[in-house]
């Protein structure tokens, strides 16, 4: 592809509480592409996802992250989100007392009323999305994800089942319309039907305007969400990259052959 | 001046107040037994000094500023009679949110009840809603064994002062078997500094009766001390059910000490909601007597302090009979230099077997200079009971902040949503949507 990828990660080094987790990781994701990232437990996949999203606890000690040509290292998570980055959490966080609907409306409005674009003087405070319009939008998206309407009034991730949490993540992604989305083990904990619903949801959003990085342990989801590229991460680095067949190979051979350090670069 | 001089001066003050209060009350037709209590209380007040550090219920709050200014306060500031809602102070009218016609209304302004507006629907049912002054005249027999039955003048110095200059307050009476057709709304307003307001209210629900009562305390912030020393006694007959909300939002110059008592009869249920938002130094004692077999109390409350506000909330869940349940949740949120103390005691008396008592206190600190203390206590004399309590104090959860911010919400907005959510379990209990909405606004305003 000739155009510059929206997301470029170059030789990224990240430490958590003084311990280096990412040790020179490079990766590029462009809009229109689907990448899968696999790798053994503890190899640093979630660390990568959270570092990209701007979690304050992950300290970037080297390398760079470019989003749409600009470094985002100095941006807080909210700015990154409004710039078009999204991460579906491996473990979504519960916020008791905050309804799904109230949360989503606030998140949408945060995109409409952007204080940092308010450079000179005061921008007329926009009212945000009209309640009726919002309800229709939410209802439509929830129907696509086969979520019961009562979901909107429940408190965010509070007492949600594992599957409900993952659906709620996709619902957020659908409403926020990111340009690059990172999905951290969105498939784990889903039953077969839920996996299909969630995958359909992602596929409905995928297309020329969205780049996706699917973090997973299982080939299974890749039957639904077809990746263009598959990367294997071991000990804080991408050790192998290849086409979709790489995922199948991992499924049968496990990680040991990659871990053993043979740099096999598939086509 | 010497201590002896001060004591004489103080005795003179209380004697003067007692004389004036008694004269006014006698004019208003207060029965002799009530008048006698006032004079007795004046003597008690003079005999009791400022609660010292040895008093476990007073050592964590500082009322000395109020104490120093007490002689300059007017306990008899008259409130202008209102012919209708339109004559009331604008903030009170705003709180009614256009629903004044859908409730029984009683409004106190400084020392006087200025509006008593029952409703034909309530009158038809025999529901009584009137000022304490009128009730002492017209319903003396009903008050003789309720007023002062749970709350005594010798409780402490301020309870005694309050009884001495008692002014205003409401009387609510719901006959046996009646479910009040409309909510009853009580307002207390203070017009400015320099006032001492001391209303006493009595709420009585007969056997199987049901009602919703909401009391709101409001004033505008002004320069100078004001003191509010109120008391409320609630009586639930067998199988009665009361939803009672007491919502305090005084101006920041007000020192507040409120005493609430409830006695819950056999099989009766009390839903109690208490919120503390306003005032400068605020102390509140809410005691719940589960007096009849199977009685239940569900208590939800919050304190939200900012600036240099200081709150002290003391609750007592007193299980006096078997198979009684109490379930209490108090939330505290503090910003700036605000401080809160929650002191909660569960008592289970000997005969109160199969008691189920629960007490939770959750605190959220929004600044490094805010402080919350939680002091739980259990006194259990029965052996077959379930009592649990727990307290937490913490800052806004960083993972929650990150999660919300990762969806594009600014830090301040994310915090606002988390803090609002923190109050929701209490807000959800408030029976009237318009009142809930106003509290939500007040909270939002306070978050800033
Ligand atoms: N906040 C943290 N504090 C301390 N250690 C952390 C933190 N986050 C990650 N780590 C450590 O970094 C390493 C990588 O963790 P990470 O969660 O990124 O792995 P992962 O590849 O996502 O694993 P999994 O497949 O189990 O989800 C682990 O050793 C983990 O313990
Ligand atoms: Mg992970």
């Amino acid at each position: 592809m000739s155009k510059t990828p929206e997301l470029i990660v170059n030789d990224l080094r990240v430490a958590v509480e003084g311990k280096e987790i990412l040790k020179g990781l490079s990766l590029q994701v462009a809009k229109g592409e689907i990448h899968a990232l696999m790798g053994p437990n503890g190899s640093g996949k979630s660390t990568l996802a959270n570092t990209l999203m701007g979690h304050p606890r992950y300290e970037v000690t080297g390398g760079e992250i470019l989003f749409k040509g600009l470094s985002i290292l100095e941006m807080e998570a909210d700015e990154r989100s409004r710039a078009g980055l999204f991460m579906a959490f491996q473990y979504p966080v519960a916020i008791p007392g905050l309804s799904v609907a109230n949360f989503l409306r606030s998140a949408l409005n945060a995109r409409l009323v952007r204080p940092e674009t308010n450079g000179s003087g005061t921008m007329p405070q926009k009212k945000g999305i009209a309640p009726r319009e919002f309800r229709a939008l939410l209802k439509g998206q929830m129907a696509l994800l086969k979520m019961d309407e009562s979901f909107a009034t429940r408190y965010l991730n509070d007492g949600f089942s594992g599957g409900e949490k993952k659906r709620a993540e996709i619902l957020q992604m659908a409403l926020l319309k990111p340009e690059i989305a990172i999905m951290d083990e969105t498939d784990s904990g889903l039953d077969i039907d839920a996996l299909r619903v969630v995958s359909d949801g992602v596929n409905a959003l995928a297309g020329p305007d969205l780049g996706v990085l699917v973090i997973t342990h299982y080939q299974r989801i890749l039957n639904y969400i077809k990746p263009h590229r598959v990367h294997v991460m071991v000990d804080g680095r991408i050790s192998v990259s290849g086409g979709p067949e790489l995922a199948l190979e991992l499924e049968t051979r496990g990680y040991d052959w990659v871990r053993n350090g043979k740099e096999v670069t598939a086509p | 001046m010497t201590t002896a001089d001060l004591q004489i001066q103080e005795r003179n003050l209380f004697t003067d107040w007692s004389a004036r209060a008694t004269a006014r009350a006698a004019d208003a037709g207060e029965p002799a037994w009530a008048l006698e209590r006032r004079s007795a209380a004046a003597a008690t007040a003079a005999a009791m000094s400022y609660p010292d550090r040895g008093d476990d219920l007073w050592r964590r709050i500082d009322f000395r500023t109020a104490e120093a200014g007490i002689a300059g306060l007017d306990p008899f500031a008259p409130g202008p009679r209102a012919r209708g809602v339109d004559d009331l102070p604008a903030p009170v009218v705003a709180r009614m949110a256009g629903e004044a016609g859908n409730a029984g209304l009683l409004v106190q302004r400084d020392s006087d009840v200025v509006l008593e507006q029952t409703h034909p629907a309530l009158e038809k049912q025999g529901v009584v809603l009137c000022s304490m002054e009128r009730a002492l005249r017209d319903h003396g027999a009903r008050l003789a064994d309720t007023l002062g039955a749970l709350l005594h003048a010798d409780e402490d110095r301020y309870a005694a002062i309050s009884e001495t200059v008692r002014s205003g307050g409401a009387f609510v009476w719901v006959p046996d078997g009646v479910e009040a057709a409309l909510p009853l709304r009580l307002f207390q307003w203070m017009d400015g500094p320099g006032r001492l307001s001391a209303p006493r209210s009595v709420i009585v629900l007969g056997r199987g009766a049901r009602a919703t009562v909401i009391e709101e305390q409001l004033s505008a912030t002004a320069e100078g001390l004001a003191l509010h020393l109120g008391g409320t006694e609630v009586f639930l007959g067998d199988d009665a059910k009361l939803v009672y909300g007491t919502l305090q939002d005084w101006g920041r110059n007000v020192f507040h000490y409120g005493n609430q008592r409830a006695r819950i009869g056999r099989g009766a249920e009390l839903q109690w909601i208490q919120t503390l938002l306003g005032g400068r130094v605020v102390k509140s004692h809410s005691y719940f007597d589960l007096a009849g077999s199977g009685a239940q109390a569900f208590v939800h409350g919050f304190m939200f302090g900012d600036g240099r506000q200081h709150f002290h909330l003391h609750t007592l869940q007193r299980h006096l009979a078997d198979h009684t349940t109490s379930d209490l949740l108090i939330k505290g949120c503090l910003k700036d230099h605000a401080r809160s103390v929650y002191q909660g005691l569960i008592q289970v008396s000997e005969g109160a077997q199969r008691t189920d008592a629960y007490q939770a206190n959750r605190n959220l600190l929004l600044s490094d200079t805010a402080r919350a203390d939680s002091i739980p206590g259990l006194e259990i004399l029965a052996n077959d009971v379930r009592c649990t309590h727990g307290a937490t104090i913490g800052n806004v959860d960083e993972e929650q902040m990150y999660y919300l911010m990762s969806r594009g919400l600014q830090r301040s907005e994310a915090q606002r949503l988390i803090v609002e959510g923190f109050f929701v379990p209490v807000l959800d209990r408030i029976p009237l949507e318009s009142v809930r909405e106003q509290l939500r606004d007040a909270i939002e305003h306070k978050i800033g």
Side-chain angles (χ1 to χ4, degrees):
Chain A
M1 238 178 254
S2 57
K3 70 178 174 99
T4 321
E6 274 69 21
L7 178 66
I8 298 175
V9 181
N10 252 336
D11 196 27
L12 186 66
R13 291 172 184 276
V14 172
V16 183
E17 282 154 22
K19 179 178 156 212
E20 186 166 65
I21 311 284
L22 299 188
K23 303 168 179 173
L25 181 142
S26 300
L27 183 72
Q28 304 193 344
V29 181
K31 281 211 263 193
E33 297 176 354
I34 296 178
H35 292 244
L37 179 64
M38 307 180 77
N41 293 132
S43 55
K45 303 178 299 295
S46 293
T47 300
L48 172 65
N50 281 297
T51 304
L52 293 174
M53 201 64 237
H55 193 300
R57 210 167 32 201
Y58 296 88
E59 186 197 350
V60 175
T61 53
E64 60 180 359
I65 304 171
L66 302 177
F67 185 56
K68 298 192 278 187
L70 297 173
S71 170
I72 56 170
L73 287 181
E74 295 305 313
M75 291 165 102
E76 289 215 68
D78 60 320
E79 290 174 79
R80 297 184 194 200
S81 165
R82 294 193 300 267
L85 205 55
F86 180 88
M87 178 182 86
F89 281 54
Q90 182 174 359
Y91 305 109
V93 181
I95 319 273
L98 175 59
S99 73
V100 169
N102 186 5
F103 160 62
L104 288 172
R105 191 160 36 79
S106 304
L108 279 175
N109 286 339
R111 284 171 146 64
L112 298 173
V113 192
R114 259 190 249 182
E116 66 267 25
T117 60
N118 183 6
S120 61
T122 43
M123 186 177 64
Q125 183 81 12
K126 274 199 235 161
K127 260 287 178 212
I129 185 167
R132 179 186 293 244
E133 189 190 337
F134 171 71
R135 274 198 299 275
L137 182 66
L138 182 58
K139 201 173 159 185
Q141 288 296 349
M142 289 197 351
L144 285 179
L145 289 165
K146 300 200 163 46
M147 296 168 87
D148 192 84
E149 269 184 54
S150 66
F151 226 80
T153 55
R154 288 179 64 184
Y155 297 141
L156 186 59
N157 295 322
D158 193 19
F160 284 20
S161 74
E164 287 170 337
K165 283 183 187 167
K166 298 305 172 87
R167 274 180 220 225
E169 293 293 290
I170 303 307
L171 175 66
Q172 293 172 45
M173 175 170 151
L175 287 172
L176 297 180
K177 295 195 175 23
E179 291 171 64
I180 298 289
I182 304 145
M183 301 175 50
D184 193 357
E185 294 198 26
T186 303
D187 56 336
S188 54
L190 293 184
D191 63 34
I192 315 254
D193 291 342
L195 182 66
R196 185 184 293 275
V197 169
V198 163
S199 304
D200 287 351
V202 175
N203 285 329
L205 300 169
D209 294 329
L210 177 68
V212 186
L213 179 64
V214 181
I215 298 174
T216 182
H217 284 294
Y218 307 106
Q219 150 67 24
R220 202 178 53 156
I221 190 175
L222 303 179
N223 291 333
Y224 298 99
I225 304 173
K226 297 259 185 279
H228 303 103
R229 300 283 292 165
V230 175
H231 311 274
V232 183
M233 186 169 175
V234 177
D235 194 24
R237 275 190 214 99
I238 304 287
S239 66
V240 188
S241 295
E245 69 288 347
L246 182 53
L248 287 167
E249 196 168 353
L250 287 168
E251 189 95 331
T252 49
R253 293 180 64 187
Y255 287 118
D256 275 350
W257 63 284
V258 213
R259 202 183 262 134
N260 290 341
K262 296 285 149 287
E263 293 281 330
V264 191
T265 309
Chain B
M1 254 191 297
T2 64
T3 319
D5 289 339
L6 276 171
Q7 275 171 355
I8 290 166
Q9 198 180 55
E10 183 162 88
R11 197 168 324 119
N12 290 342
L13 174 70
F14 293 144
T15 309
D16 170 54
W17 279 0
S18 169
R20 288 165 65 194
T22 309
R24 285 162 50 100
D27 276 353
E30 192 164 297
W33 60 267
L35 293 172
E36 276 154 27
R37 277 201 209 158
R38 284 180 187 271
S39 343
T44 307
M48 291 176 106
S49 54
Y50 178 75
D52 66 20
R53 314 274 312 162
D55 186 334
D56 197 47
L57 288 177
W58 283 91
R59 64 209 273 189
R60 294 174 188 89
I61 190 108
D62 191 346
F63 253 59
R64 281 171 302 183
T65 307
E67 189 64 40
I70 203 163
L73 297 176
D74 180 3
F76 310 107
R81 265 217 99 60
R83 281 151 307 173
V85 168
D86 293 342
D87 290 342
L88 297 170
V92 174
V93 179
R95 284 284 179 139
M96 294 173 185
E99 292 175 3
N102 269 330
L105 272 187
L106 184 133
V107 180
Q108 173 156 2
R109 200 162 169 173
D110 294 329
S111 294
D112 296 320
V113 170
V114 298
L115 183 75
E116 298 161 282
Q117 184 177 301
T118 85
H119 191 284
L122 293 167
E123 273 167 12
K124 209 167 71 194
Q125 296 183 302
V127 174
V128 176
L129 169 65
C130 67
S131 70
M132 181 56 72
E133 186 180 294
R134 186 185 302 281
L136 280 163
R137 226 166 28 228
D138 299 349
H139 304 278
R142 285 169 172 173
L143 282 169
D145 56 358
T146 52
L147 179 65
L150 303 176
L151 177 55
H152 312 291
D154 60 2
E155 184 87 22
D156 55 44
R157 174 178 168 82
Y158 299 105
I161 296 174
S162 173
E163 176 87 60
T164 307
V165 296
R166 174 170 50 74
S167 58
F171 177 62
V172 172
W173 176 275
V174 184
D176 290 352
V178 167
E179 177 170 357
L182 295 169
L184 304 168
R185 299 188 62 178
L186 317 176
F187 289 88
Q188 290 165 9
W189 168 264
M190 280 197 286
D191 263 310
R195 272 93 167 156
L196 193 179
S197 183
R200 281 287 292 271
S201 296
V202 168
I203 296 167
V204 185
L205 266 64
R207 267 170 189 278
R210 280 163 184 257
T212 295
V213 178
I214 299 177
E215 172 192 61
E216 294 174 74
Q217 303 172 317
L218 306 166
S219 70
T221 297
E223 202 62 47
L225 173 71
L227 179 59
H228 196 269
L229 301 175
T232 299
E233 291 163 285
V234 173
F235 301 84
L236 268 64
D238 296 351
D239 301 315
K241 180 173 174 183
L242 173 67
V243 181
Y244 179 76
T246 174
L247 318 175
Q248 187 272 101
D249 197 1
W250 295 122
R252 296 315 172 76
N253 55 313
V254 176
F255 278 65
H256 169 92
Y257 173 38
N259 267 298
Q260 293 73 232
R261 302 286 181 274
R263 188 167 73 200
I264 307 154
R266 175 185 292 269
E269 178 185 330
L270 174 65
Q271 289 274 350
W272 181 275
I273 305 107
Q274 180 164 15
T275 66
L276 303 176
L277 283 171
R280 178 165 160 199
V281 178
V282 169
K283 183 163 176 57
S284 186
H285 290 184
S286 298
Y287 297 179
F288 309 96
D289 284 356
L290 296 129
S293 175
Q296 293 181 290
F298 300 92
V299 179
H300 291 80
F302 67 69
M303 312 177 242
F304 186 4
D306 62 12
R308 296 195 170 272
Q309 282 185 301
H310 191 163
F311 296 124
H312 179 248
L313 174 60
H314 172 46
T315 62
L316 177 56
Q317 295 152 262
R318 194 151 44 188
H319 291 259
L320 304 169
D322 60 293
H323 291 88
T324 49
T325 301
S326 69
D327 186 350
L328 173 145
L329 170 67
I330 301 294
K331 296 206 144 194
C333 179
L334 290 311
K335 56 187 277 197
D336 307 331
H337 287 82
R339 186 172 173 204
S340 74
V341 179
Y342 170 69
Q343 203 166 351
L345 182 60
I346 297 175
Q347 280 179 339
V348 182
S349 65
E350 224 168 312
Q353 300 296 3
R354 313 315 286 276
T355 278
D356 192 343
Y358 182 71
Q359 179 196 95
N361 174 223
R362 310 264 168 255
N363 298 288
L364 184 60
L365 301 179
L366 302 183
S367 80
D368 294 340
T369 46
R371 174 172 167 190
D373 290 287
S374 189
I375 304 157
L378 291 175
E379 290 173 12
I380 299 171
L381 300 177
N383 51 21
D384 185 13
V385 300
R386 214 179 65 183
C387 294
T388 34
H389 64 90
T392 54
I393 299 173
N395 301 108
V396 175
D397 184 80
E398 275 306 317
E399 294 301 319
Q400 292 184 337
M401 287 292 284
Y402 168 56
Y403 186 72
L404 294 184
M405 288 175 72
S406 79
R407 274 33 174 162
L409 295 162
Q410 284 180 69
R411 182 168 286 279
S412 57
E413 178 75 354
Q415 176 165 316
R416 187 178 67 79
L417 293 176
I418 292 168
V419 174
E420 281 176 14
F422 178 74
F423 289 113
V424 160
V426 180
L427 286 177
D428 275 352
R429 299 285 165 161
I430 291 174
L432 300 185
E433 172 57 30
S434 70
V435 177
R436 204 158 47 226
E437 202 50 55
Q438 306 225 16
L439 263 188
R440 213 175 274 137
D441 287 351
I443 287 170
E444 200 171 329
H445 185 76
K446 207 151 180 168
I447 295 171

